[in-house]
Structures are given as C-alpha cells and as structure tokens.
C-alpha cells in the first residue's frame, strides 16, 4: 500500500497544487488524469484528511501544511540521488556555476576558466538547491551580513560553504535626492524611505529589515528579475532606493552611492558545493580562496 511518504504521491500532489489542475498535472508528469486522481485519493485516505478542494483546485488547510513538508522532502531526495550519482560519475571537464546576480564580482570573473563554463544566474534562494540536486557544480550566493558572519542559507542538503569575499555596501540614490550630498548614512535613517524591492537583483529588503530590528523599508516598486542593469536604471529614475555592494553601485550615471556607516554590515559572498571537488570546480574554488 502506498503511503503519504511515497515520493511519487508527494510529487503528484505538489504538482497538482502548483498548477491548480488535475489535467495539467497529468500532462506535466506524463500520467493519465485517472492516475493523478488515484494518487491524490491515496494520499487523502492515508492521511485521513482532504487535501484539495476540487472546484477550484486549491489546497485545504491540511493540504497547505503538507505542502510545507513535501517540497523540502522531495528536494532532499533529489539531492541524495545527485550526491550518489556525483560520486559514481566520471570527472567532468566543464563547469556549471550557479550564481546570484550581485555575487559576480571581478574576483569571481577572474577565477573562471577561459572555456568550458556554463553560467546560470538564478534567484539567490535557488542556488543551493541547484548545487544540491546536481544541476550546478558550484554555487555563489550573497547577502547582507555583519563582518565575518556566515550567511543563512536554505537547509536543502549537506553542503560545504565558505566566504570568498566581503565588500562595503552603499545605498544608491538619484543625484537629485536630498540625501545625495551626505558622505555616509545610517540604515535606520532610511527605514521610512521609498525602496525598490528587488530580492534577486539587489540586496533583499528582508535583509535590511533584519539589520534594522525587523522594521521599516516599505516597497515603492517590486522588480522580479535578476538583471542588475534594470535595477540600476530604476534607481536612477527615482522609483526607489536600493542597497548594493559598493563595486556595483559606484559610477552609475545620474546616481550617487552613499556608504552605510551604521550598523556595521557588509555584502558577503559565499561559495557553495557538495562533496569533494575535482577538475575545473576545484580550480575555481582554490582561486577564489586565494583571493580572500
């Protein structure tokens, strides 16, 4: 008898809930619609609770709770499979690097091989999962942190992480902004300003709120993308402020980059990998470690 912890049932349930459709889930998974219905019915029978309202297809409260557990469990299973395959596979000659957009500093670019590299720019929370599941050999993540403090990364699998760079941070202002003449700013003084919420192109507002005791930093405009140039253009046009590493914020036409003086925070970049590195991945990791 299939149980609620059967990964096939969980994968079916997560797919139906994501697509809000039994027929679309069947098409994506390569099952018949009848098989998808049987999977959901088996889950509901095993757990003794309805998981999906049918019209429209939406998770029930019990279904929402199952989703909280199901996605991490499926990711762990993918990570375990990738780890075993990685150990048995022949060494790869190329390198796939998953990175958040603002983690690509000059020291990272200088460490990359001259050929054989595939670069995948992802939302920063997806980078550890890409490494854990084997779709990337190395990952680079970044965020706001106190000097020398490690970043808090999603717990997707046993991964090795270490810092490969720390940079000062600046708030990017239009050069006509009243605060543009300042030589330094406290983060708390900017809590009531209008901000760009660009979690995958700049430093997330959640990081700023955490550094400010969990308060302030309302969104004026949300940008859902990874293109730093688009974020810089939005800031220069006066749509809101954004916090960036100094190397990214400096020299943007029509703007001024003002350093954050309090609290003491930095833009930290960390390398993420699984297992023992070899080939091009080991070379990049060593080159980055030597530049710290």
């Amino acid at each position: 008898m299939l149980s609620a912890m059967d990964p096939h049932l969980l994968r079916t349930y997560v797919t139906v809930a994501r697509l809000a459709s039994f027929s679309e889930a069947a098409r994506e998974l390569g099952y018949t619609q009848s098989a998808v219905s049987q999977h959901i019915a088996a889950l509901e029978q095993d757990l003794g609770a309805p998981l999906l309202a049918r019209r429209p297809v939406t998770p029930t409260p019990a279904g929402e709770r199952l989703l909280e557990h199901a996605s991490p469990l499926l990711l762990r299973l993918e990570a375990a499979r990738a780890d075993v395959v990685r150990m048995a596979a022949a060494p790869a000659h190329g390198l796939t690097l998953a990175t958040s957009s603002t983690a690509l500093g000059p020291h990272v670019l200088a460490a990359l091989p001259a050929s054989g590299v595939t670069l995948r720019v992802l939302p920063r929370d997806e980078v550890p999962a890409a490494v854990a599941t084997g779709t990337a050999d190395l990952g680079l993540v970044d965020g706001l942190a106190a000097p020398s403090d490690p970043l808090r990364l999603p717990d997707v699998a046993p991964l090795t992480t270490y810092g490969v760079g720390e940079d000062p941070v600046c708030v990017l202002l239009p050069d006509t902004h009243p605060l543009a003449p300042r030589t330094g700013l406290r983060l708390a003084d900017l809590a009531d300003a209008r901000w760009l919420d660009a979690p995958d192109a700049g430093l997330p507002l959640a990081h700023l709120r955490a550094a400010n005791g969990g308060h302030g930093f309302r969104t004026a405009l949300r940008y859902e993308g990874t293109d730093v140039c688009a974020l810089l253009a939005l800031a220069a046009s006066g749509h809101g402020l954004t916090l960036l590493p100094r190397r990214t914020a400096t020299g943007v036409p029509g703007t001024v980059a003002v350093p954050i003086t309090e609290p003491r925070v930095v833009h930290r970049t960390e390398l993420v990998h699984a297992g023992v590195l070899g080939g091009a991945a080991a070379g990049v990791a060593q080159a980055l470690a030597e530049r710290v």
Side-chain angles (χ1 to χ4, degrees):
M1 178 179 177
L2 295 175
S3 75
M5 292 301 102
D6 186 289
H8 300 291
L9 299 189
L10 287 176
R11 188 169 289 107
T12 299
Y13 172 68
V14 169
T15 305
V16 173
R18 173 170 55 84
L19 297 175
S21 168
F22 281 69
S23 59
E24 290 295 324
R27 186 175 296 110
E28 180 172 307
L29 294 169
Y31 297 154
T32 64
Q33 188 167 337
S34 174
V36 169
S37 297
Q38 290 173 17
H39 282 192
I40 301 302
L43 265 177
E44 292 179 326
Q45 181 179 0
D46 187 32
L47 292 172
L51 300 174
L52 292 167
R54 273 18 182 212
R55 294 182 181 177
V57 178
T58 56
T60 64
E64 291 283 2
R65 184 57 58 86
L66 180 59
L67 280 175
E68 294 176 7
H69 294 284
S71 296
L73 284 171
L74 291 172
L75 181 56
R76 281 279 183 166
L77 286 172
E78 289 183 39
R81 182 181 184 280
D83 205 22
V84 172
V85 170
R86 190 183 295 113
M87 290 185 65
H93 295 291
L95 168 69
T96 298
L97 173 66
T99 178
S100 50
S101 55
T102 45
L104 281 174
H107 66 299
V108 172
L109 298 175
L112 296 179
S115 62
V117 177
T118 298
L119 191 65
R120 298 179 60 203
V121 179
L122 300 175
R124 56 173 48 82
D125 285 345
E126 295 180 14
V127 172
V131 175
T133 56
T135 60
D137 303 301
L138 292 175
L140 283 168
V141 291
D142 65 334
L144 196 66
S148 301
D149 274 6
L151 299 176
R152 295 182 180 181
L153 302 181
D155 182 19
V156 295
L159 296 174
T160 301
T161 63
Y162 49 89
V164 293
E166 290 188 352
D167 301 298
V169 290
C170 294
V171 59
L172 190 63
L173 306 163
D175 54 16
T176 56
H177 195 282
L179 296 176
R182 300 279 291 272
T183 57
L185 289 166
R186 299 188 311 161
L187 203 55
D189 294 337
L190 300 168
D192 294 328
R194 299 170 67 255
W195 284 84
L196 293 167
D197 185 13
D200 298 314
L203 292 171
L205 292 190
H207 291 194
L208 276 64
R209 293 189 189 102
N212 193 48
H215 307 296
F217 303 99
R218 61 191 176 96
T219 300
L221 183 148
R222 181 173 174 84
Y223 170 59
E224 296 181 352
T226 60
D227 186 349
V228 177
C229 290
L231 176 61
L232 298 178
L234 288 168
S237 300
H239 288 288
L241 310 184
T242 188
L243 198 70
L244 292 164
R246 183 174 61 188
R247 55 176 165 74
T248 305
T250 303
V252 180
T255 68
V256 175
V258 182
I260 295 298
T261 57
E262 187 182 327
R264 289 187 65 231
V265 288
V266 295
H267 169 261
R268 180 175 171 86
T269 303
E270 293 185 355
L271 186 73
V272 182
H273 69 84
V276 178
L277 293 177
V284 170
Q286 181 178 354
L288 289 174
E290 290 173 351
R291 286 177 166 84
V292 176

